[in-house]
Amino acid sequence: MRRRDLLKTIAPAAFLISQRSVSAMDAEIVVQPADAGPTISPQIYGHFIEHLGGVIYDGIWVGRNSKIANIDGIRKQFVDDMKRIGAPNLRWPGGCFADGYHWRDGIGGKRPRTYNYWQSRTPAGVDGSEPNQFGTHEFMRLCRLLNAKPYFAGNVGSSTPHEFHDWVTYCNAPAGTATLADERAANGDKEPFGVEYWGIGNESWGCGGGMKPGEYAAEFRKFTTQFPGYTTPFFVATGPRGHQADIDLSWTRGLFENLGGRFPDGLGLHYYTDLRPTTIKAGTFKPNEWFEVLRKGAAIEKVIEEHWGAMGQVNPAHKTRFVIDEWGNWYPPGEEIGPQYILSQPMTLRDALHTGITFDIFNRHTEKIAMANVAQTINCIHSLFLAREDQFIRTPAYYVFEMYRSHMGAQLVPMMIGAPQFTAPVLGGTVKMPGLAGSASLQPGARAVTITLTNASLSDGVSARIRIAGGGRASEARGVVLTHSDMQAGNTFATPNAVAPAPLKPVVSGDSVSVSIPKQAVVALEIRLV
Ligand code: AHR
């Protein structure tokens, strides 16, 4: 398609990315800041931490007497780096752990050692029991250090509305108004925690109780009806059964039909790029395994669209938005950083591409998504950090959070990408991959557009020309690129800085900006407008 013809196809209000052939390795991108639309919820760039393997203990909680630098027992490096990316929220304490957690075990001076859901999945000889050293006050301390919103996952599977409501009162009742508030004050926090986000169980179709949609809907109604109203709660219902392409519309439909009109604020959708049924490894892989992971990851878009449609059939007003409170690449076991760090895995450039592709999808569907939480932030499935005692590294995924930070709270900008698709090998065949994928936003109060792009090709860079449509002109532009000559590159304790962002220099000329995007790369551009 000739450049003039391509630009004619651009619809002013389109918030879609389309891929069209231009000439090999050339891309035409048009952004329309004058038509900026919905605000991208900062909460989309959120986190999930669970009492699982080395996530909490050693990952985050090193203890007050540790030689590792800490703030009241919390690993200082973790706090510093999470602040750098503006972590907006933390989901805790699970995951599957949540439906076995009794909050009283984690408060006060003398704490019991208890059973942990993940204990039976911990290798022989490793103590996987729960020491309860990190509980409600320690979690809230972490949230306050980060200025992140707490998102509690309540225990529905092995608890009662009574126990749950007591936890809410303990957290949120003003000092002096309830015995539980006095107890909180005696434990060091006079001021209420003001927790708004409450998950009503986790995966209640599975580890959270093995329920049917109608059974769970009844629990949801009981847990939320007599809710202590110290704050305006944001309730998240357990979302669809399954983890990826098998995600089941029947749960979503059944749940919504049985709620009696009591629709939640959020539906907790879990989407893992689940590689466990394959032999694809996290750290070493072939080109077709690179593309297989990226292709499976991008399929989250279809899941979002289908479930949004199903929810809309029962509640056309769409009171409920998605809380994608677990997402990430989940590889088969065997590459953990140590036996007690179950589910930990190396992260490579491939996972950085996957992260960028996922965030661009979330941004483009921002009106459907209230929150998302990567699973899990440290020492786990799709982690930003790996930590083992005094060793600590940022993975390539961390840098994507950093590069995409400007999208948080910005307005989504219509963007059209004209880039040649290419054919890529995957498991069992080939697929068409987009030449580039991405999203754009207008920063609030600033005349600046952020554009993020991923180039999944393992062989070709892309020369992109970005045009500002609707009368705007670029005054200056700067960029950052995350790439490496080796697709398998990742950061390890021995080579902590192998994959790190580098500056990228776009060229401004009138109403357009040109930039060379390397192969296998994530790019973030900031274009200042006049
Ligand atoms: O993130 C690991 C586990 O995956 C969570 O505990 C559970 O919710 C999901 O199945």
Side-chain angles (χ1 to χ4, degrees):
M1 186 185 287
R2 287 180 317 175
R3 178 171 293 178
R4 201 177 50 234
D5 295 336
L6 169 72
L7 297 185
K8 272 193 204 155
T9 66
I10 293 167
F15 281 89
L16 295 171
I17 306 278
S18 72
Q19 317 296 336
R20 297 182 178 79
S21 261
V22 276
S23 60
M25 293 183 287
D26 271 343
E28 285 280 348
I29 299 174
V30 180
V31 288
Q32 301 183 180
D35 294 321
T39 298
I40 297 172
S41 168
Q43 304 302 331
I44 283 175
Y45 290 82
H47 295 269
F48 168 40
I49 53 173
E50 178 171 10
H51 291 243
L52 182 173
V55 176
I56 300 292
Y57 299 107
D58 198 28
I60 296 169
W61 181 258
V62 294
R64 294 187 179 87
N65 300 324
S66 174
K67 290 198 184 85
I68 299 164
N70 69 85
I71 307 169
D72 287 346
I74 298 169
R75 190 185 280 270
K76 184 171 180 307
Q77 183 76 57
F78 179 76
V79 172
D80 292 346
D81 283 354
M82 289 287 272
K83 278 162 88 169
R84 265 176 55 154
I85 56 170
N89 64 61
L90 291 176
R91 176 179 185 243
W92 173 84
C96 293
F97 177 80
D99 283 288
Y101 183 60
H102 301 283
W103 65 272
R104 280 202 158 277
D105 293 340
I107 60 166
K110 198 164 182 309
R111 304 196 186 174
R113 183 167 278 277
T114 51
Y115 181 77
N116 180 317
Y117 171 85
W118 294 100
Q119 192 168 338
S120 58
R121 290 146 185 89
T122 304
V126 173
D127 179 7
S129 65
E130 176 55 46
N132 284 302
Q133 293 307 299
F134 189 88
T136 300
H137 290 264
E138 291 75 21
F139 173 65
M140 286 308 308
R141 176 89 174 109
L142 172 60
C143 289
R144 285 172 169 168
L145 285 170
L146 301 181
N147 197 23
K149 286 185 185 286
Y151 167 19
F152 282 60
N155 176 352
V156 173
S158 66
S159 175
T160 60
H162 186 178
E163 182 184 351
F164 178 61
H165 295 157
D166 277 356
W167 199 15
V168 177
T169 302
Y170 184 85
C171 288
N172 288 352
T177 68
T179 305
L180 284 165
D182 298 341
E183 189 178 356
R184 183 191 68 230
N187 284 331
D189 279 292
K190 186 163 182 244
E191 290 307 312
F193 294 139
V195 181
E196 298 161 49
Y197 292 103
W198 291 97
I200 310 302
N202 168 76
E203 296 190 356
S204 303
W205 41 265
C207 63
M211 296 177 222
K212 296 194 168 56
E215 292 167 343
Y216 174 71
E219 293 299 318
F220 180 86
R221 295 199 304 265
K222 279 193 278 182
F223 273 67
T224 57
T225 304
Q226 283 275 336
F227 189 84
Y230 299 109
T231 55
T232 305
F234 185 106
F235 291 129
V236 182
T238 288
R241 180 170 47 220
H243 275 156
Q244 50 163 21
D246 61 340
I247 288 181
D248 186 354
L249 274 173
S250 70
W251 173 275
T252 302
R253 288 199 182 109
L255 171 62
F256 271 65
E257 282 159 7
N258 283 287
L259 283 170
R262 199 175 173 81
F263 298 117
D265 304 286
L267 182 73
L269 175 70
H270 291 183
Y271 186 89
Y272 285 104
T273 303
D274 191 351
L275 290 320
R276 289 173 297 169
T278 75
T279 54
I280 296 179
K281 296 180 82 174
T284 51
F285 47 86
K286 301 194 263 316
N288 64 338
E289 296 173 334
W290 162 280
F291 290 113
E292 179 72 10
V293 169
L294 300 187
R295 168 180 83 109
K296 275 191 163 186
I300 193 173
E301 187 157 24
K302 188 163 167 274
V303 173
I304 291 169
E305 285 165 350
E306 283 179 356
H307 286 265
W308 186 254
M311 285 148 65
Q313 282 168 5
V314 184
N315 179 219
H318 275 300
K319 179 191 173 208
T320 309
R321 292 196 292 155
F322 291 115
V323 170
I324 304 175
D325 45 18
E326 295 187 26
W327 68 268
N329 287 337
W330 194 338
Y331 297 98
E335 296 170 271
E336 296 81 2
I337 57 169
Q340 68 268 47
Y341 303 85
I342 55 167
L343 272 54
S344 65
Q345 53 190 33
M347 296 284 283
T348 68
L349 185 61
R350 176 177 61 182
D351 303 300
L353 268 283
H354 177 285
T355 307
I357 290 167
T358 302
F359 279 146
D360 287 322
I361 291 170
F362 289 173
N363 289 344
R364 300 200 302 267
H365 290 276
T366 193
E367 74 287 356
K368 305 182 186 76
I369 306 173
M371 183 192 279
N373 311 79
V374 68
Q376 301 186 15
T377 306
I378 183 165
N379 282 352
C380 200
I381 295 164
H382 193 107
S383 292
L384 285 70
F385 311 103
L386 294 175
R388 195 178 57 202
E389 298 164 3
D390 60 350
Q391 298 172 297
F392 183 92
I393 54 156
R394 303 175 187 132
T395 71
Y398 171 82
Y399 292 111
V400 180
F401 277 73
E402 187 179 72
M403 290 165 68
Y404 278 56
R405 187 177 171 176
S406 301
H407 284 311
M408 293 167 67
Q411 281 179 282
L412 185 68
V413 164
M415 177 163 79
M416 296 289 288
I417 299 178
Q421 289 188 334
F422 62 94
T423 303
V426 290
L427 296 192
T430 59
V431 289
K432 288 278 185 202
M433 295 290 291
L436 286 177
S439 64
S441 67
L442 184 65
Q443 291 166 25
R447 296 287 295 153
V449 174
T450 300
I451 296 176
T452 47
L453 297 163
T454 51
N455 177 11
S457 171
L458 292 172
S459 54
D460 293 321
V462 176
S463 293
R465 178 175 172 267
I466 302 161
R467 190 167 72 77
I468 317 291
R473 282 171 65 84
S475 64
E476 57 176 304
R478 57 187 181 177
V480 179
V481 60
L482 188 70
T483 188
H484 196 282
S485 56
D486 178 2
M487 67 174 178
Q488 302 180 97
N491 298 335
T492 65
F493 293 129
T495 57
N497 301 313
V499 182
L504 183 72
K505 187 74 196 118
V507 177
V508 177
S509 158
D511 71 347
S512 70
V513 174
S514 301
V515 65
S516 290
I517 300 172
K519 65 178 185 176
Q520 55 206 45
V522 184
V523 161
L525 304 171
E526 184 181 294
I527 302 176
R528 300 222 147 254
L529 305 174
V530 282

